[in-house]
Amino acid sequence: QVQLVESGGGLVQAGESLRLSCAASGFIFITNAINWFRQAPGKQREWVATITSGGSTDYANSVKGRFTISRDNAENTVYLQMNSLKPEDTAVYYCRTVIGWEYWGQGTQVTVSS
């Protein structure tokens, strides 16, 4: 079955970096776009970044220039490199793919202290 497993979250100080991973299985990874979303306490889940099957990328304005999404098709993994982190980046980060319907991972917590 389709599985997405996020990892790499943690507690960092403002200005530091983290790299999140999304390991995928159960589908033909190379043909699917993967998205990163995040949800802060008390807020709606919001889109962060997308990478298409062809490697094109797009970012929310709030992270553009600081975050980079990439994929390793040999490892069936998508990464989210997060630099210059801010306290407002604190959230649970999820990866998602759509194959008929949406599939989500369990999320990984990112906490940025000021």
Side-chain angles (χ1 to χ4, degrees), residues 2-69:
V2 175
Q3 273 199 314
L4 299 171
V5 179
E6 301 95 336
S7 61
L11 171 64
V12 297
Q13 292 190 331
E16 294 184 339
S17 299
L18 277 175
R19 189 177 79 156
L20 306 183
S21 299
C22 172
S25 61
F27 63 100
I28 303 173
F29 179 78
I30 197 170
T31 63
N32 279 75
I34 305 292
N35 318 114
W36 282 99
F37 285 75
R38 67 186 181 187
Q39 188 165 20
K43 296 190 175 181
Q44 289 192 330
R45 193 171 296 190
E46 65 172 357
W47 169 73
V48 174
T50 294
I51 187 163
T52 69
S53 58
S56 297
T57 59
D58 197 10
Y59 301 91
N61 286 337
S62 58
V63 307
K64 201 171 291 185
R66 299 187 298 121
F67 290 12
T68 303
I69 189 171

Side-chain angles (χ1 to χ4, degrees), residues 66-84:
R66 299 187 298 121
F67 290 12
T68 303
I69 189 171
S70 61
R71 65 191 297 157
D72 184 338
N73 290 330
E75 296 293 329
N76 283 9
T77 300
V78 168
Y79 302 99
L80 186 68
Q81 177 67 43
M82 307 187 295
N83 298 331
S84 302

